[in-house]
Amino acid sequence: MSVAIVDETSAGTGIARPSDDILIDIYRKVALIRLNDDRSVAVLKSGRLSMPYYSPRGQEVIPSAVSAALREDDYICTIYRGIHDMLAKGMPLRDLWAEIAGRITGICKGKGGPMHLTYPDKGIMVTTGIVGSSMPIANGLAWASQMDGNDKVTVAYFGDGASNIGAFHEAMNLAGLWKLPVVFVCQNNQFSEHTTYAKSTAAERIADRAAGYNMPGERVDGNSPIEMYDAASRAVERARSGQGPTLIEAMTFRFSGHVYGDDDAYMDPAVKAEAVAADPVPRFRSWLLSEGIATETELAAIEEAIKVDLDEAVRFAETSAFPEIEELQRDVFADEDVK
Amino acid sequence: MSVAIVDETSAGTGIARPSDDILIDIYRKVALIRLNDDRSVAVLKSGRLSMPYYSPRGQEVIPSAVSAALREDDYICTIYRGIHDMLAKGMPLRDLWAEIAGRITGICKGKGGPMHLTYPDKGIMVTTGIVGSSMPIANGLAWASQMDGNDKVTVAYFGDGASNIGAFHEAMNLAGLWKLPVVFVCQNNQFSEHTTYAKSTAAERIADRAAGYNMPGERVDGNSPIEMYDAASRAVERARSGQGPTLIEAMTFRFSGHVYGDDDAYMDPAVKAEAVAADPVPRFRSWLLSEGIATETELAAIEEAIKVDLDEAVRFAETSAFPEIEELQRDVFADEDVK
Amino acid sequence: MSGENVVNILQSVNQALADAMADDAKVVVLGEDVGDPEGGGVVGATQGLSTRFGETRCRSTPIAEQAIVGAAIGASLVGYRPVAEIMLMNFTAVAMDMMVNHAAKLRYMSGGQTSVPIVIRTMTGAGFSNGGQHSDYVEGWFAHTAGIKVVAPSTAADAYGLMRSCIDDPDPCLFIENIPTYWLPDTAAVPGSRVPLGQAKVTREGTDLTIIAYSRVAREALAAADELAKAGISAEVVDLRTISPWDKKTVLASVSKTGRAIVAHEALRHFGPGGEIASTISEELFSKLKAPVTRLGAPTAPVPFSKPLEEAFMVGSKDIVPAAKVLAAYK
Amino acid sequence: MSGENVVNILQSVNQALADAMADDAKVVVLGEDVGDPEGGGVVGATQGLSTRFGETRCRSTPIAEQAIVGAAIGASLVGYRPVAEIMLMNFTAVAMDMMVNHAAKLRYMSGGQTSVPIVIRTMTGAGFSNGGQHSDYVEGWFAHTAGIKVVAPSTAADAYGLMRSCIDDPDPCLFIENIPTYWLPDTAAVPGSRVPLGQAKVTREGTDLTIIAYSRVAREALAAADELAKAGISAEVVDLRTISPWDKKTVLASVSKTGRAIVAHEALRHFGPGGEIASTISEELFSKLKAPVTRLGAPTAPVPFSKPLEEAFMVGSKDIVPAAKVLAAYK
Ligand SMILES: Cc1ncc(C[n+]2csc(CCOP(=O)(O)OP(=O)(O)O)c2C)c(N)n1
Ligand SMILES: Cc1ncc(C[n+]2csc(CCOP(=O)(O)OP(=O)(O)O)c2C)c(N)n1
Ligand SMILES: [Mg+2]
Ligand SMILES: [Mg+2]
């Protein structure tokens, strides 16, 4: 499988270009994810922070475009490699950083950590460390919306490797059968830990599996903001209007090893180099400039503001207290006295 | 979904008719399954036997035709509703009956019972009571054949409902990926316990799911000995020659409630009546006669011989001893002293 | 038991579900066959619910236990109170991830931001020749998991009251029904009544020893106590009702009084839930015990099919009575 | 530890797999990433195996734990000795059905006609901030299952010798590796040596009390014993090595001698495996015990992420020492 090529102009695809506002909104999210990743790696390298970190580098565009198609009250369920999905959906940096630093001021009081970040205020309902498990739960959120008769949509994020586990199948079938308002977004970064797509997945395209669940399935260039936004908007609209779920296979590439510290020796250097050369972040940025959608000053201001927020978030995290030992047995049940 | 119509002549399908010997072999198996079912119900009604009994009535042709395409040393893995699959593969009646009567002379010493009948001598390797679980294990048998470089084929039997559980998906993907010599035979009897196909399965056809696993998928009339034999032969040949797995969706109908004692009130009487009117067993029999493939005397002799065997098997079972209490903790581990 | 108030456990479960659904529109039921308007699942526990409340609120699912529990979890995160059926307890093995890694942990891992008020109903128990994959008691797996409550009634009134409490509860509950005792006639609960979670019940008072049990074996303990009484041994019976969190106070109070204890369940004795109860008693009442605490559980074997083996496998009064006589002999 | 013979547990596991594969062509390895020629899985336990023995015999799989264990079971039924990796112990939750309803039961349900000689390797343990879904010790689930053996070494030599025994064994074995102790330098096993399953080891002799533990906590017990010695308390340490079936004889012999016992593990104390050991000791040595048996285990909570909480969660010498002092005070 070759690396997805970003063509933000989507020339010849007949895809309508979203408004400039939307494009800039997407870029703001992309930049946030990109800069947060930089900062995370820097802080990890400094040794001031220690956590399992699954970098989303290379996959920034997917959730940014998806979230631009979502409402604030829509839900997402995501995975260990999900900080990009959450930032795009509105997770505040302070809450995030304090959590990954294990502080009591963290959004999960330091108990969840990076793999279990949760922020219901912005619809970030579940983050799971178990491959495949975001999907069955996403169905439940969508089922609730269906029963409530509201028009909220739920997005389930997962990886290419996750499309081979049982939970994927059960969830897809139920969603197709019950016509649930879910969008299944598979971020196909072509690796499951150390194993390539070709050694994991019998299907030529994961999107092909949708047919077996009576739902549309589409492979798109996840690194193209325009293609990704287009596919997401149609899927979200379909879900919102009661027509049921969609499977989107968003092609992308994982720029780092699986987890921070993993040397990625198993990745073909040529393939990786090609992907990195097509880095969607600078390409999107230059395209915005070349199309006159934003000026250098505007983009620099966006980035600067993010950096300021990051400084503040890291400072907040590092100066916050760790939880007291009493917290260890709190939040097991609603009733604290039950042990 | 309408009831599959048996057309043994397969006029117009272009399917080659198997030899008379094969057809008679298939009929012998069909009759064995049919008569064994009669006898099981009679003995259950008499109260002399008590067990969970999942009747295969209506599905006789599927494993009979599949087994006619298999060698004695090929493997099968089947399910609680699998007595037909096992009889077709050569499970001896005495061993079977003593087992379902819970006797020490049973093939599993009375410990397994009807849901766990096993007979490695004829390749009957696993019978499971867990929906979907025949498939991952079948892969393992096939993987062993692949590593051994022999040309044995493994058949995994399962129901339509099982095609919605995670194990199905994981097994199909692995088989497709590793090109395992397996044939997945889904007996689509249009019900999962009390629930119809339409309320269980998002896919229009289960066979359509094969595409997502890079393997051929085919829906056939499982009640037609000719179509079923044809599809099975091609799939078995494909597996034997190293080309990989096949998914066969064999359309059929469950003539009884899910389990003995279940009143099947949830089954649409008209649909059921139509299916029963198309009972594949008498239709196959009359067709064999009308085509001159066998004479009434020959078929009657086959049936008579089976009845004699059944008499003997039931007698053997009923006069055999129950296991001693010491058996309770034997066969937990190879070493009896480990508790 | 007066005529009018006689029901069985199965009917009580059905009644509790119906009453909860009538009281609260957020209570929904899902699982395999549960919406079948004719039967209501293989034993009929949900009979009539889809007819009365609609197929949306009592919804049949595909055979997909991860999808079932996952859907329950998701809906519970946003206000629903789903009751999910995992038909037989052995099938929890295909839903463990959703139950243990998710339902039980989401409140904690989110720092209390979310909660999972679901009930998972399941049935099990040897006695009907269902063999090795359809009869296991594996409550021990869940009792050993933080964040999920485990309940196992032995009477119709407890079945009703505990089910209502489980549905009310803000956290996930596993509700275990025993198949062989489903159809025994019993006294009905007061409609709307609750049995608090985590509270055991002394179902028979006695002075010589305490038998601690739950589910079917709690009934066997009563039968054993009757028989022991004839032999001049006065047995107190404690029905745990909730296995986790368990009612240490009631158990310890009883054993403090009697000085002798038997812990009995149908689950395997080997690394079984009885170990928690027995070792707590031994630890906390070290100097008060007149005899070692006896644990009874099934032998270390899968559940056998053959009738005589299955009967030998099942813990019952036949095992409790001789064990109690041995204990009573300690002075 | 002399220079040449120093290895760590991870290397010992790798060596045991390599030696077993060299000795027997029927030994095959499968699991996620295991065939990666560069790394050999996320921690490198299978490093070099696919290069040396070919990708057929050390085969990477999709992320599909049911398919992995199922394939292992099937191949084992016809002569193979597969070693399947379930990367982390929490992921056994998605493979429970294959492990518990199938691997553990097929011999019994077939009346001894078939057997399932597989090894399931898995790693776990708190200490690396992996949080609630990547750190659990759930050996209790499997110890409570008939038909599967459960092994948890704490030293490099035991890791080697137990792995070889598990591969030799005609029945399914679950082999638990602790992550934080993977890289500690330790004495290598004699190549080809075996450590028999079901045999505990007295890793330190003492007279005042016995500490029974396994996996990482067995090392903590030794550290605790050192510290206790300074306080004048002589602790004997028994490393169970095999959790199920466990070595009752060695444990009871030790506690008969010392009269005091602590059972310690990282798994939750609540309904944890310690209950089996503790209640057996209390039952069998009722009159010999000088003090109640103490069970130590993790508190009833998911594994927390935050460092100070995670440290508090993990049972260690910090918990064993004070508990031992309390016990030693009983006369
Ligand atoms: C059930 C389960 N099995 C294995 C793992 C270990 N694991 C964590 S991430 C991962 C790879 C997942 O690949 P993919 O789904 O493509 O997502 P990506 O990491 O590439 O984003 C694996 C195997 C897990 N977390 N859960
Ligand atoms: C994992 C699991 N869930 C539920 C059941 C209960 N159950 C037994 S048979 C059955 C229906 C299966 O339907 P299908 O696969 O179509 O096979 P059929 O019985 O029609 O032959 C169900 C739900 C089970 N045995 N295993
Ligand atoms: Mg991936
Ligand atoms: Mg069916």
Side-chain angles (χ1 to χ4, degrees):
Chain A
M1 185 181 301
S2 76
V3 177
I5 294 300
V6 185
D7 176 8
E8 287 84 1
T9 60
S10 297
T13 59
I15 294 175
R17 180 165 140 173
S19 72
D20 289 1
D21 281 357
I22 290 175
L23 286 165
I24 290 173
D25 178 41
I26 296 175
Y27 181 74
R28 186 176 285 110
K29 297 179 201 295
V30 165
L32 174 63
I33 295 164
R34 176 75 182 82
L35 292 168
N36 186 70
D37 182 73
D38 269 358
R39 188 64 60 101
S40 303
V41 171
V43 179
L44 282 163
K45 274 211 180 108
S46 77
R48 276 147 56 213
L49 188 68
S50 154
M51 60 160 175
Y53 180 63
Y54 304 88
S55 168
R57 259 312 267 127
Q59 308 180 198
E60 293 88 347
V61 169
I62 299 168
S64 301
V66 169
S67 294
L70 290 176
R71 290 198 317 234
E72 193 173 295
D73 66 347
D74 288 331
Y75 302 125
I76 69 166
C77 292
T78 186
I79 60 170
Y80 53 92
R81 191 185 316 285
I83 287 182
H84 56 323
D85 305 330
M86 293 183 265
L87 288 173
K89 190 68 176 58
M91 168 77 78
L93 283 174
R94 278 166 60 110
D95 303 77
L96 169 74
W97 273 88
E99 183 61 29
I100 65 181
R103 309 302 161 123
I104 186 69
T105 52
I107 189 65
C108 308
K109 304 184 192 161
K111 298 182 189 185
M115 282 199 255
H116 307 299
L117 291 155
T118 310
Y119 193 61
D121 280 4
K122 297 274 180 173
I124 301 165
M125 302 306 293
V126 174
T127 303
T128 181
I130 308 293
V131 165
S133 297
S134 59
M135 290 170 268
I137 302 178
N139 275 348
L141 292 160
W143 181 41
S145 303
Q146 188 181 62
M147 287 190 286
D148 283 338
N150 68 34
D151 62 354
K152 289 188 193 180
V153 170
T154 301
V155 171
Y157 289 109
F158 56 100
D160 49 305
S163 79
N164 299 316
I165 202 165
F168 163 89
H169 178 69
E170 295 191 10
M172 296 286 289
N173 182 58
L174 193 77
L177 190 70
W178 289 7
K179 290 203 172 308
L180 296 176
V182 200
V183 182
F184 295 100
V185 178
C186 177
Q187 306 193 19
N188 185 346
N189 62 14
Q190 310 179 39
F191 276 88
S192 305
E193 297 202 340
H194 301 205
T195 303
T196 57
Y197 180 90
K199 288 205 172 165
S200 298
T201 312
E204 218 183 297
R205 296 163 173 246
I206 291 167
D208 292 344
R209 290 185 170 161
Y213 309 112
N214 195 24
M215 69 173 83
E218 194 172 349
R219 176 184 268 196
V220 299
D221 180 351
N223 288 358
S224 157
I226 296 177
E227 266 195 52
M228 192 65 227
Y229 179 77
D230 172 63
S233 306
R234 284 184 284 111
V236 167
E237 179 44 34
R238 196 171 177 272
R240 214 181 288 297
S241 60
Q243 295 170 77
T246 301
L247 170 61
I248 298 176
E249 178 184 9
M251 297 308 297
T252 186
F253 199 85
R254 197 187 75 196
F255 282 11
S256 322
H258 170 62
V259 64
Y260 180 77
D262 164 2
D263 70 0
D264 77 13
Y266 48 87
M267 290 174 99
D268 181 331
V271 172
K272 183 171 165 181
E274 196 191 337
V276 171
D279 188 340
V281 182
R283 300 229 295 156
F284 184 27
R285 191 180 196 282
S286 359
W287 180 80
L288 287 173
L289 296 175
S290 70
E291 294 284 314
I293 297 166
T295 64
E296 174 61 38
T297 325
E298 285 164 349
L299 297 188
I302 287 175
E303 292 149 8
E304 213 34 60
I306 293 169
K307 285 182 191 156
V308 170
D309 288 351
L310 274 167
D311 291 342
E312 161 56 12
V314 175
R315 192 205 54 76
F316 173 71
E318 293 190 333
T319 57
S320 287
F322 284 102
E324 302 292 326
I325 298 304
E326 291 67 55
E327 280 298 330
L328 182 51
Q329 284 189 276
R330 279 192 199 133
D331 297 318
V332 176
F333 291 117
D335 180 348
E336 272 183 33
D337 297 331
V338 176
K339 290 283 139 64
Chain B
M1 182 181 303
S2 77
V3 178
I5 293 301
V6 186
D7 176 7
E8 287 84 1
T9 59
S10 295
T13 59
I15 295 175
R17 179 166 140 172
S19 72
D20 289 1
D21 279 357
I22 290 175
L23 286 166
I24 290 173
D25 178 41
I26 296 176
Y27 181 74
R28 186 177 286 110
K29 297 179 201 296
V30 166
L32 173 63
I33 295 164
R34 175 75 182 82
L35 292 170
N36 186 70
D37 182 74
D38 269 358
R39 187 65 60 100
S40 303
V41 172
V43 179
L44 282 163
K45 275 212 180 108
S46 77
R48 275 148 55 211
L49 187 68
S50 154
M51 60 160 176
Y53 180 63
Y54 304 88
S55 169
R57 260 310 269 126
Q59 308 180 199
E60 293 87 349
V61 169
I62 299 168
S64 300
V66 169
S67 294
L70 290 176
R71 290 199 317 236
E72 192 173 297
D73 67 347
D74 288 330
Y75 301 125
I76 69 167
C77 291
T78 186
I79 60 169
Y80 52 93
R81 192 185 317 285
I83 287 182
H84 56 322
D85 305 330
M86 293 182 265
L87 287 173
K89 190 69 176 56
M91 169 76 79
L93 283 175
R94 277 166 60 113
D95 303 76
L96 169 73
W97 274 87
E99 183 61 28
I100 63 180
R103 310 301 161 122
I104 186 69
T105 52
I107 189 64
C108 308
K109 302 185 193 160
K111 297 181 191 186
M115 282 201 256
H116 307 300
L117 290 156
T118 311
Y119 193 61
D121 280 3
K122 298 274 180 171
I124 301 164
M125 300 307 293
V126 174
T127 302
T128 182
I130 308 293
V131 165
S133 298
S134 58
M135 289 171 270
I137 303 179
N139 275 347
L141 293 161
W143 181 40
S145 302
Q146 189 181 62
M147 288 190 286
D148 283 337
N150 68 32
D151 63 352
K152 289 188 193 180
V153 170
T154 301
V155 171
Y157 289 110
F158 57 100
D160 48 305
S163 79
N164 299 315
I165 201 164
F168 163 89
H169 178 67
E170 295 191 9
M172 295 285 288
N173 182 58
L174 192 77
L177 190 70
W178 289 6
K179 291 205 172 306
L180 296 176
V182 200
V183 182
F184 295 101
V185 178
C186 176
Q187 306 193 19
N188 186 346
N189 61 15
Q190 310 179 39
F191 275 88
S192 304
E193 296 201 340
H194 300 203
T195 304
T196 57
Y197 180 91
K199 289 205 171 165
S200 299
T201 312
E204 218 182 297
R205 293 163 175 248
I206 291 168
D208 292 345
R209 292 184 169 161
Y213 310 112
N214 195 24
M215 70 174 83
E218 192 171 350
R219 177 182 268 196
V220 299
D221 180 351
N223 287 358
S224 156
I226 294 177
E227 267 195 50
M228 192 65 228
Y229 179 77
D230 172 63
S233 305
R234 284 183 285 111
V236 168
E237 179 45 33
R238 195 170 178 274
R240 211 180 293 294
S241 60
Q243 295 170 77
T246 302
L247 169 61
I248 299 175
E249 179 184 9
M251 298 306 297
T252 185
F253 199 84
R254 198 187 74 196
F255 282 11
S256 322
H258 170 62
V259 63
Y260 181 78
D262 164 2
D263 70 0
D264 78 13
Y266 49 86
M267 291 174 98
D268 181 331
V271 172
K272 183 171 164 182
E274 197 191 334
V276 171
D279 188 340
V281 182
R283 297 229 297 155
F284 185 28
R285 191 180 197 281
S286 352
W287 179 80
L288 287 173
L289 295 176
S290 71
E291 294 286 314
I293 296 166
T295 63
E296 174 61 38
T297 323
E298 284 163 349
L299 298 187
I302 287 175
E303 293 149 8
E304 212 34 60
I306 293 169
K307 285 182 192 158
V308 170
D309 288 351
L310 273 167
D311 290 343
E312 162 54 14
V314 176
R315 191 206 56 75
F316 173 70
E318 294 190 331
T319 56
S320 287
F322 284 103
E324 302 293 325
I325 297 305
E326 290 68 54
E327 280 297 329
L328 182 52
Q329 283 188 276
R330 278 192 200 133
D331 298 318
V332 176
F333 291 118
D335 180 348
E336 271 183 34
D337 296 331
V338 177
K339 287 284 140 65
Chain C
M1 275 181 271
S2 79
E4 217 166 279
N5 287 327
V6 175
V7 295
N8 62 37
I9 292 183
L10 192 54
Q11 289 164 329
S12 299
V13 169
N14 182 272
Q15 192 65 49
L17 295 174
D19 290 357
M21 291 176 89
D23 284 1
D24 181 354
K26 292 289 187 183
V27 176
V28 292
V29 168
L30 74 165
E32 292 151 19
D33 305 322
V34 299
D36 161 25
E38 309 299 333
V42 280
V43 295
T46 57
Q47 192 157 30
L49 300 182
S50 65
T51 307
R52 180 162 165 206
F53 300 103
E55 286 201 43
T56 302
R57 287 188 63 200
C58 180
R59 196 156 191 185
S60 286
T61 65
I63 309 172
E65 282 78 4
Q66 297 189 70
I68 294 168
V69 181
I73 292 172
S76 81
L77 292 173
V78 290
Y80 280 85
R81 302 219 158 229
V83 181
E85 176 176 315
I86 301 291
M87 194 179 296
L88 287 174
M89 195 163 204
N90 279 89
F91 314 155
T92 60
V94 293
M96 279 299 273
D97 171 58
M98 281 293 143
M99 296 173 72
V100 159
N101 290 331
H102 294 89
K105 291 180 178 171
L106 289 181
R107 176 189 291 278
Y108 190 83
M109 297 193 309
S110 73
Q113 293 180 95
T114 56
S115 63
V116 182
I118 65 171
V119 182
I120 296 171
R121 282 185 50 237
T122 194
M123 59 181 178
T124 195
F128 276 9
S129 305
N130 282 318
Q133 292 178 333
H134 280 61
S135 317
D136 281 320
Y137 267 90
V138 294
E139 67 278 16
W141 300 349
F142 303 98
H144 185 46
T145 302
I148 184 167
K149 299 179 185 177
V150 184
V151 167
S154 77
T155 70
D158 283 350
Y160 181 93
L162 287 168
M163 177 56 82
R164 296 303 305 266
S165 293
C166 285
I167 294 172
D168 294 344
D169 200 80
D171 288 298
C173 297
L174 175 64
F175 188 92
I176 305 166
E177 302 164 21
N178 174 262
I179 303 172
T181 58
Y182 257 148
W183 295 274
L184 302 180
D186 203 351
T187 308
V190 175
S193 62
R194 308 292 199 264
V195 171
L197 300 183
Q199 284 191 15
K201 186 176 178 183
V202 178
T203 52
R204 179 183 175 121
E205 301 207 354
T207 52
D208 295 332
L209 62 95
T210 305
I211 308 168
I212 300 128
Y214 51 85
S215 196
R216 182 186 59 80
V217 181
R219 291 174 167 262
E220 292 288 319
L222 289 174
D226 280 346
E227 208 177 315
L228 289 166
K230 291 182 205 143
I233 299 170
S234 164
E236 180 146 309
V237 177
V238 178
D239 182 349
L240 279 188
R241 308 195 294 189
T242 300
I243 300 167
S244 177
W246 63 285
D247 186 350
K248 212 162 127 171
K249 214 173 116 195
T250 300
V251 169
L252 294 181
S254 173
V255 184
S256 294
K257 182 178 77 174
T258 61
R260 299 178 190 87
I262 294 175
V263 184
H265 51 57
E266 182 168 319
L268 299 198
R269 182 185 195 275
H270 190 64
F271 288 93
E276 171 74 19
I277 321 286
S279 53
T280 302
I281 296 171
S282 294
E283 196 166 343
E284 309 237 344
L285 303 178
F286 183 66
S287 53
K288 287 196 181 152
L289 283 178
K290 297 178 189 141
V293 181
T294 297
R295 283 182 300 143
L296 298 176
T300 309
V303 183
F305 166 71
S306 181
K307 207 70 207 163
L309 298 186
E310 191 188 32
E311 274 163 17
F313 178 91
M314 290 170 76
V315 169
S317 153
K318 72 175 183 355
D319 307 286
I320 298 170
V321 169
K325 289 185 177 167
V326 171
L327 278 201
Y330 279 82
K331 289 300 155 195
Chain D
M1 273 180 272
S2 78
E4 215 165 283
N5 287 327
V6 175
V7 295
N8 62 37
I9 293 183
L10 193 53
Q11 290 163 328
S12 299
V13 169
N14 183 271
Q15 193 63 50
L17 294 174
D19 291 357
M21 290 175 89
D23 285 0
D24 181 354
K26 291 291 187 183
V27 176
V28 292
V29 167
L30 74 165
E32 291 151 20
D33 305 322
V34 299
D36 161 24
E38 309 299 333
V42 280
V43 294
T46 56
Q47 193 156 28
L49 300 183
S50 65
T51 307
R52 179 163 166 205
F53 300 103
E55 286 202 42
T56 303
R57 287 187 63 200
C58 181
R59 196 157 193 185
S60 286
T61 64
I63 310 171
E65 283 79 2
Q66 297 188 71
I68 294 169
V69 182
I73 293 173
S76 81
L77 292 173
V78 290
Y80 280 86
R81 302 221 159 229
V83 181
E85 176 175 315
I86 300 292
M87 194 179 296
L88 288 173
M89 195 164 205
N90 278 90
F91 314 154
T92 60
V94 293
M96 280 299 273
D97 171 58
M98 281 295 143
M99 295 173 73
V100 159
N101 289 332
H102 293 89
K105 290 180 179 172
L106 289 181
R107 176 189 290 278
Y108 190 82
M109 298 194 308
S110 72
Q113 294 180 93
T114 57
S115 63
V116 182
I118 65 172
V119 182
I120 296 170
R121 282 186 50 238
T122 194
M123 58 181 178
T124 195
F128 276 9
S129 306
N130 282 317
Q133 292 178 333
H134 281 60
S135 317
D136 281 320
Y137 267 89
V138 294
E139 68 278 16
W141 300 349
F142 302 98
H144 185 46
T145 301
I148 184 167
K149 300 179 185 176
V150 183
V151 167
S154 76
T155 69
D158 283 350
Y160 181 92
L162 286 168
M163 177 56 83
R164 297 300 306 265
S165 293
C166 284
I167 294 173
D168 293 343
D169 200 79
D171 288 298
C173 297
L174 175 65
F175 189 93
I176 305 166
E177 301 163 23
N178 174 262
I179 303 172
T181 57
Y182 257 148
W183 295 275
L184 302 180
D186 203 350
T187 308
V190 175
S193 63
R194 308 292 199 266
V195 171
L197 300 183
Q199 284 191 15
K201 185 176 177 182
V202 178
T203 52
R204 178 184 177 121
E205 300 209 353
T207 52
D208 294 333
L209 62 94
T210 305
I211 308 168
I212 300 128
Y214 51 85
S215 196
R216 182 186 59 78
V217 182
R219 290 175 167 264
E220 292 288 319
L222 289 173
D226 280 346
E227 209 177 316
L228 288 166
K230 291 180 207 144
I233 298 170
S234 163
E236 178 146 312
V237 177
V238 178
D239 182 349
L240 278 188
R241 307 195 294 188
T242 300
I243 301 168
S244 177
W246 62 285
D247 185 350
K248 212 163 127 172
K249 214 173 117 195
T250 300
V251 169
L252 294 181
S254 173
V255 185
S256 294
K257 182 178 78 176
T258 61
R260 300 178 190 85
I262 293 175
V263 184
H265 50 58
E266 181 167 319
L268 299 197
R269 181 185 197 274
H270 191 63
F271 288 95
E276 171 73 21
I277 321 285
S279 53
T280 301
I281 296 171
S282 295
E283 195 168 344
E284 309 236 345
L285 303 179
F286 183 67
S287 53
K288 288 196 182 152
L289 283 176
K290 297 179 189 140
V293 181
T294 298
R295 281 181 301 143
L296 297 176
T300 309
V303 183
F305 166 72
S306 181
K307 207 71 209 161
L309 298 186
E310 191 188 32
E311 274 162 17
F313 179 90
M314 290 171 74
V315 169
S317 153
K318 72 176 184 351
D319 308 286
I320 298 170
V321 169
K325 289 183 176 165
V326 171
L327 276 202
Y330 278 82
K331 290 299 156 198

